[in-house]
Structure formats: structure tokens, C-alpha cells
Amino acid sequence: MSIELDHLFVCTDPGAPAAEELVRFGLREGPPNQHPGQGTACRRFAFSNAMLELIWVCNEAEAQGEDARRTQLWERWSGRESGTSPFGICLRPADPAEAEPPFPAWRYQPPYLPDPLAMHIAEAGLEEPMWVFMGFLRRTDREQWFVEHPIGVREITGVTLTTPVAFCSTAFTVAVKNGVLQTRDGTRHLLEIEFDGNRRNEIADFRPHLPLVFRF
């Protein structure tokens, strides 16, 4: 089956104060969100085909509790400055008729998702991003939530992950085969997002506030 990017997340400090850097750049922030039972919250930026989230743990007990423990979100968030990948890559089917995960994954139905909706999380080490397949989402969902940004960027057209270790999960292989992202070697985890085919040939680097670079 074919898949495409639905959203990306970056683990950040509580309250995501670094979101203000994105607002100053010229993004329009959407409504924040909380994930009851998972112990996380996020600030969100919508684009015409995908979304960017800045996520943090807001309830340590829930994040380490029985419902959320297997996600390893607590370990990913708490280890974001010490070698753990701080990123999540969330995917959806490109064909609305397909809804089964394209890689080995376990079913996760957090309390905030209404039955029968569920996501599927791939088995991968913390040195890789969290790979999530959301078979119930469609591109039209993102299109209807999109509001124009003052800076003018609209669509995510490329994702590059810089990584200090080689990825080896099946989910990574499937994502690359489907053109969702590419990787390059580096000393620290970094997420580069290309917008609109990089038509303006400009760069915005949000380090050290976020391990994030925009090419637009």
C-alpha cells in the first residue's frame, strides 16, 4: 500500500515556549491539544497536507502509566537532550480504501480516541523517531483545518532527518520507499522540513530553540 505524511511532532519543553519562534517566523498557530490518559499536550501548526506539533509531557504519572507505557513517549520526551530521537512521524494511507498498517505495528487506542478509532505504532528503538500509522485519517482532514500563514508557506513537500545512527526498522524502510522522507548522517538529531518545493530558496533555522530547520 502507499502511504503519505500526516503530521510530525517534536518533543519540547513544557508549554512549548519555542512555539513563539515559529509564530515570529510567520506561522499561524492553531488550537492547542491535550491527550488525556497519555499524559501529553501539544501546540499545533497546520498546513494544507500535514501538521507540525510541538509536544510535551504534562502529566508524568499518565505518561508512565499502563495505558501509555508501551508508546515510550515518556522515555522519548525525557531523553530528548541525551540521544533519544525527539521526533514522531505520523503517516496515513494515500488511498482512502486502505486502512491497514504497512509495517509491523501494535494497536494503540488511547482514551482520547473514540471507539473504534485506533493508531498503530511500529516497533523501533528510541534512536529512531516514533513511527505511527493512522489509518482513519485522510488528506481532506488536513485541508479543511488549514488556514493561510502570514509567511505564505502552504504545503510540506519534503522531510529530511539528520541522525547520528542508522535507522533499521521496517517502518523506516517503508517510509523511505514511499517518499515520505530521506535521511542524512550527522552528530545530532535534526528535522528539516521543505515547503512548497523550496520555491523561494530561503532557510529558517530554529536551533537552539528547536532541532528544526525550514526550507521554503
Side-chain angles (χ1 to χ4, degrees):
M1 69 174 292
S2 59
I3 56 172
E4 57 192 20
L5 178 68
D6 184 78
H7 64 282
L8 305 159
F9 73 71
V10 182
C11 293
T12 189
D13 293 342
E20 302 305 327
E21 298 296 322
L22 303 183
V23 172
R24 279 190 282 272
F25 163 73
L27 295 188
R28 186 185 308 278
E29 185 174 359
N33 197 23
Q34 289 195 334
H35 310 118
Q38 185 173 284
T40 57
C42 66
R43 296 174 69 172
R44 304 184 289 186
F45 297 86
F47 305 98
S48 65
N49 66 325
M51 181 174 64
L52 173 65
E53 293 183 337
L54 304 187
I55 191 170
W56 67 93
V57 168
C58 60
N59 185 318
E60 294 186 9
E62 283 189 350
Q64 298 175 79
E66 182 177 353
D67 289 340
R69 184 179 298 120
R70 194 175 175 187
T71 68
Q72 295 189 296
L73 279 165
W74 165 256
E75 290 82 1
R76 188 173 300 282
W77 178 77
S78 61
R80 67 193 183 279
E81 300 290 346
S82 56
T84 293
S85 173
F87 306 127
I89 311 293
C90 302
L91 308 162
R92 63 177 182 244
D95 182 348
E98 298 178 324
E100 294 301 313
F103 44 72
W106 59 277
R107 187 177 186 272
Y108 176 50
Q109 188 176 27
Y112 59 87
L113 271 186
D115 191 60
L117 300 185
M119 58 186 78
H120 289 82
I121 300 177
E123 297 287 1
L126 287 168
E127 71 279 0
E128 293 195 26
M130 182 176 177
W131 304 102
V132 184
F133 179 73
M134 308 180 81
F136 56 89
L137 288 176
R138 304 289 180 264
R139 179 179 173 127
T140 52
D141 296 324
R142 297 300 170 209
E143 291 171 345
Q144 68 184 11
W145 296 335
F146 174 64
V147 178
E148 297 284 348
H149 295 286
I151 193 67
V153 299
R154 292 182 54 85
E155 182 174 350
I156 294 177
T157 52
V159 175
T160 301
L161 286 173
T162 298
T163 170
V165 297
F167 295 164
C168 58
S169 69
T170 302
F172 163 68
T173 301
V174 171
V176 170
K177 183 178 180 181
N178 279 267
V180 173
L181 55 83
Q182 57 186 342
T183 61
R184 64 166 59 101
D185 296 334
T187 58
R188 297 180 65 85
H189 294 284
L190 177 68
L191 174 64
E192 296 180 61
I193 302 177
E194 177 194 88
F195 294 98
D196 307 319
N198 196 22
R199 59 184 175 83
R200 288 159 59 173
N201 199 30
E202 296 185 41
I203 297 176
D205 191 332
F206 298 98
R207 292 173 291 184
H209 306 285
L210 290 167
L212 190 61
V213 170
F214 288 170
R215 298 184 182 275
F216 60 104

